[in-house]
């Protein structure tokens, strides 16, 4: 098959006419399809309905005999911490289980670092003239909104198939003491679905940084979110790896049950070195008299242990995998060989990341929106909402039904092809 770039003007014009027809037809179908966010669908949420009844025996005592209904236990119930430790491959004492949202814990951690000196810091980040974070791109838009809200400057570093481009990361952090942090979703990254290689993890743990208070924000949101449970991707325990490489306080790790049980009504955790956790605990104990331990108890009674989590994640995968495969089948059929889009086939996580012809992503999102298919705004997976190439589009296949998804992806393919043909013709 010829790529569109190789078509003659006449061939392109006839394709353009055909695509315009397809597009008008899609528009007249009055679609209302939302693929903007990685939300679990109703069948996935139904997997955890037992959370509402699992405490119906009114036994609120934790394994240690703590009454979950009362104040106290600021670092969370021991069994909840042990469960997260097991999922993350770390130790229970390295985990605080708190609140319902890992994003909230990330926000609080950055906010605390701005206000109170981190272990190893000369002063709070807020007292520094300039603070910068390394942001692997494309990345999770909410990390960038968070960073931007604190006035922290963001530096783009490309994601490679092995994770962030380490030659760039090492050079940047070695030279610039204002680089205090770096984001990473190490397993099934948002949006590329890339799992950082063991060698990249080792380099991140070992690299020399000009800032003594540099921190990795290791957002392990998709650590157990395998689409192919028999063929799982994983990363080493980063807390242990950083310690082995002489940087025991380098990493703050985050995770939550949002996409294990109920999105926004799960339990979140922050995991780190004893030093860092003591620093977190100091302010956390002033902020709150303790986390929602009733929800934690519900979660451990429902999930039990890592095997319990693996079992429910396999059921999520059974719902999600056909959706990813349906979307990818249409993308493969309609786009491969056209030269107007490349994309990954993720093995886990919640997203498919598309790279369309540079300069057309925003136009594709606009065209799709006008045809009733809402996508994440182009540019969102980049700091400041600016994709320098205007090329990346994030697809979230989890929420729609398969027929809706197939319609949406088909319309999207029309939009991608139409935007590409329009651009190529303009340049010919
Ligand atoms: N991190 C990443 C990479 C995510 O994709 C999401 C949710 N989509 C979150 C964090 C938010 O998680 P939580 O619900 O625990 O705040």
């Amino acid at each position: 098959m010829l790529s569109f770039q190789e078509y003659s003007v006449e061939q392109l014009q006839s394709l353009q006419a055909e695509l315009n027809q397809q597009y008008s037809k899609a528009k007249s179908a009055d679609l209302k399809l939302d693929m903007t966010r990685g939300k679990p669908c109703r069948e996935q949420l139904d997997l955890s309905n037992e959370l509402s009844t699992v405490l119906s025996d009114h036994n609120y005592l934790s394994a240690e005999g703590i009454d979950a209904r009362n104040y106290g236990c600021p670092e969370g119930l021991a069994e909840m911490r042990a469960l997260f430790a097991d999922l993350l491959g770390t130790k229970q004492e390295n985990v605080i289980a708190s609140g319902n949202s890992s994003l909230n814990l990330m926000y609080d951690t950055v906010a605390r670092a701005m206000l109170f000196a981190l272990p190893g810091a000369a002063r709070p980040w807020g007292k520094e003239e300039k603070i910068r974070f390394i942001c692997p791109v494309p990345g999770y838009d909410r990390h960038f909104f968070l960073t931007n809200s604190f006035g922290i400057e963001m530096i783009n570093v490309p994601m490679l198939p092995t994770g962030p481009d380490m030659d760039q990361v090492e050079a940047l952090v070695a030279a610039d003491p204002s680089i205090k942090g770096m984001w990473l979703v190490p397993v099934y990254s948002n949006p590329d679905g890339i799992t950082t290689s063991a060698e990249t993890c080792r380099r991140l743990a070992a690299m020399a940084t000009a800032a003594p208070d540099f921190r990795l924000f290791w957002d392990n949101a998709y650590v157990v979110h395998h689409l192919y449970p028999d063929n799982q991707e994983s990363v080493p325990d980063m807390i242990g790896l950083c310690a082995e490489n002489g940087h025991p306080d380098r990493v703050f790790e985050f995770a939550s049950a949002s996409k294990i049980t109920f999105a926004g009504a799960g339990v979140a955790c922050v995991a780190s070195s004893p030093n860092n956790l003591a620093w977190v605990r100091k302010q956390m104990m002033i902020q709150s008299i303790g986390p929602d331990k009733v929800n934690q108890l519900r979660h451990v009674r429902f999930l039990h242990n890592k095997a319990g989590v693996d079992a429910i994640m396999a059921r999520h995968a059974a719902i999600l995998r056909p959706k990813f495969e349906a979307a990818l089948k249409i993308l493969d059929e309609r786009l491969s060989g056209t030269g107007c889009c490349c994309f990954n086939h993720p093995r886990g996580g919640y997203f498919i990341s598309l790279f369309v012809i540079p300069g057309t992503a925003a136009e594709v999102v606009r065209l799709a929106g006008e045809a009733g298919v809402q996508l994440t705004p182009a540019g969102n997976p980049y700091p400041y909402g600016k994709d320098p190439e205007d090329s990346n589009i994030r697809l979230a296949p989890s929420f729609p039904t398969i027929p809706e998804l197939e319609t949406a992806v088909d319309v999207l393919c029309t939009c991608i092809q139409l935007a590409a043909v329009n651009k190529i013709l303009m340049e010919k």
Side-chain angles (χ1 to χ4, degrees):
M1 181 181 184
L2 286 182
S3 88
F4 289 0
Q5 290 284 3
E6 295 166 300
Y7 279 28
S8 67
V9 169
E10 293 70 37
Q11 283 174 314
L12 284 167
Q13 282 168 340
S14 107
L15 180 59
Q16 188 185 42
E18 193 189 314
L19 289 167
N20 271 325
Q21 260 189 3
Q22 277 178 25
Y23 183 65
S24 303
K25 198 169 152 216
K27 256 178 124 170
S28 60
D30 207 16
L31 302 171
K32 281 191 185 59
L33 301 171
D34 185 349
M35 292 180 64
T36 51
R37 306 293 326 173
K39 289 198 297 191
C41 64
R42 172 144 184 210
E43 293 74 26
Q44 289 180 270
L45 299 172
D46 282 343
L47 298 176
S48 298
N49 285 345
E50 233 183 273
L51 274 177
S52 311
T53 50
V54 77
L55 294 181
S56 59
D57 62 357
H58 299 299
N59 175 5
Y60 297 100
L61 289 188
S62 78
E64 292 178 310
I66 289 171
D67 190 331
R69 297 168 301 179
N70 221 329
Y71 276 144
C73 200
E75 48 280 287
L77 293 179
E79 51 265 59
M80 190 73 235
R81 297 166 66 202
L83 176 53
F84 274 128
D86 229 8
L87 301 183
L88 300 175
T90 185
K91 292 181 274 187
Q92 180 184 320
E93 61 262 34
N94 292 339
V95 178
I96 292 177
S98 179
N100 67 317
S101 155
S102 59
L103 186 67
N104 195 159
L105 291 176
M106 293 176 229
Y107 183 97
D108 280 353
T109 307
V110 174
R112 277 188 205 111
M114 294 298 282
L115 293 169
F116 309 103
L118 275 162
R123 59 191 78 81
W125 290 352
K127 293 255 162 68
E128 301 281 354
E129 210 162 289
K130 196 178 253 314
I131 301 281
R132 295 186 171 95
F133 266 41
I134 291 180
C135 299
V137 292
Y140 178 36
D141 50 5
R142 292 186 195 273
H143 287 160
F144 306 148
F145 301 148
L146 187 168
T147 318
N148 198 33
S149 77
F150 287 104
I152 298 170
E153 205 178 291
M154 294 175 274
I155 306 171
N156 294 8
V157 165
M159 280 296 272
L160 306 177
T162 47
D165 182 334
M166 282 310 294
D167 292 345
Q168 288 195 26
V169 172
E170 284 165 344
L172 282 162
V173 296
D176 185 349
S178 75
I179 299 179
K180 300 289 191 188
M182 171 171 168
W183 293 106
L184 192 62
V185 182
V187 177
Y188 307 126
S189 67
N190 178 350
D192 287 317
I194 290 171
T195 297
T196 295
S197 72
E199 172 59 7
T200 298
C201 291
R202 191 200 58 74
R203 287 173 73 177
L204 285 166
M207 68 192 181
T209 62
D213 49 347
F214 173 86
R215 293 294 187 280
L216 283 170
F217 289 78
W218 199 252
D219 179 1
N220 220 339
Y222 299 112
V223 60
V224 290
H225 301 62
H226 315 286
L227 287 172
Y228 299 89
D230 296 334
N231 190 358
Q232 306 184 355
E233 295 180 7
S234 63
V235 288
D237 157 32
M238 202 55 183
I239 299 168
L241 198 60
C242 287
E244 275 167 36
N245 282 276
H247 304 114
D249 297 332
R250 173 159 292 180
V251 61
F252 280 111
E253 181 164 10
F254 304 90
S256 81
S258 277
K259 287 169 182 172
I260 298 174
T261 58
F262 291 158
V267 180
C269 76
V270 52
S272 196
S273 65
N275 250 353
N276 281 341
L277 283 197
W279 173 86
V280 168
R281 208 178 288 113
K282 190 166 170 211
Q283 302 305 327
M284 208 176 227
M285 309 234 320
I286 296 169
Q287 259 183 308
S288 164
I289 318 176
D292 177 352
K293 297 183 299 300
V294 175
N295 197 32
Q296 296 191 7
L297 195 62
R298 240 182 244 135
H299 273 75
V300 286
R301 295 263 169 88
F302 173 59
L303 297 168
H304 302 293
N305 49 29
K306 180 164 186 317
V309 172
D310 288 344
I312 193 170
M313 294 318 293
R315 299 179 73 191
H316 281 289
I319 298 168
L320 286 176
R321 196 172 47 244
K323 296 192 177 188
F324 275 75
E325 288 177 351
L328 286 163
K329 182 164 180 277
I330 297 173
L331 292 168
D332 279 331
E333 281 168 5
R334 292 208 50 196
L335 300 174
S336 66
T338 63
C340 62
C341 182
C342 54
F343 47 90
N344 54 349
H345 286 68
R347 317 281 306 164
Y350 262 68
F351 304 99
I352 299 171
S353 175
L354 306 176
F355 291 89
V356 296
I357 290 189
T360 65
E363 175 63 2
V364 169
V365 171
R366 185 191 70 78
L367 285 169
E370 287 188 4
V373 177
Q374 301 304 325
L375 301 168
T376 313
N380 263 38
Y382 291 76
Y384 310 108
K386 279 199 207 113
D387 174 355
E389 298 272 315
D390 184 26
S391 167
N392 184 254
I393 295 175
R394 185 182 85 163
L395 273 193
S398 55
F399 192 73
T401 63
I402 289 181
E404 284 172 345
L405 184 62
E406 286 173 336
T407 307
V409 174
D410 196 46
V411 171
L412 173 63
C413 288
T414 300
C415 298
I416 291 172
Q417 291 195 5
L418 186 56
V421 168
N422 289 344
K423 180 147 197 290
I424 297 167
L425 266 175
M426 241 169 38
E427 287 166 359
K428 281 243 178 200

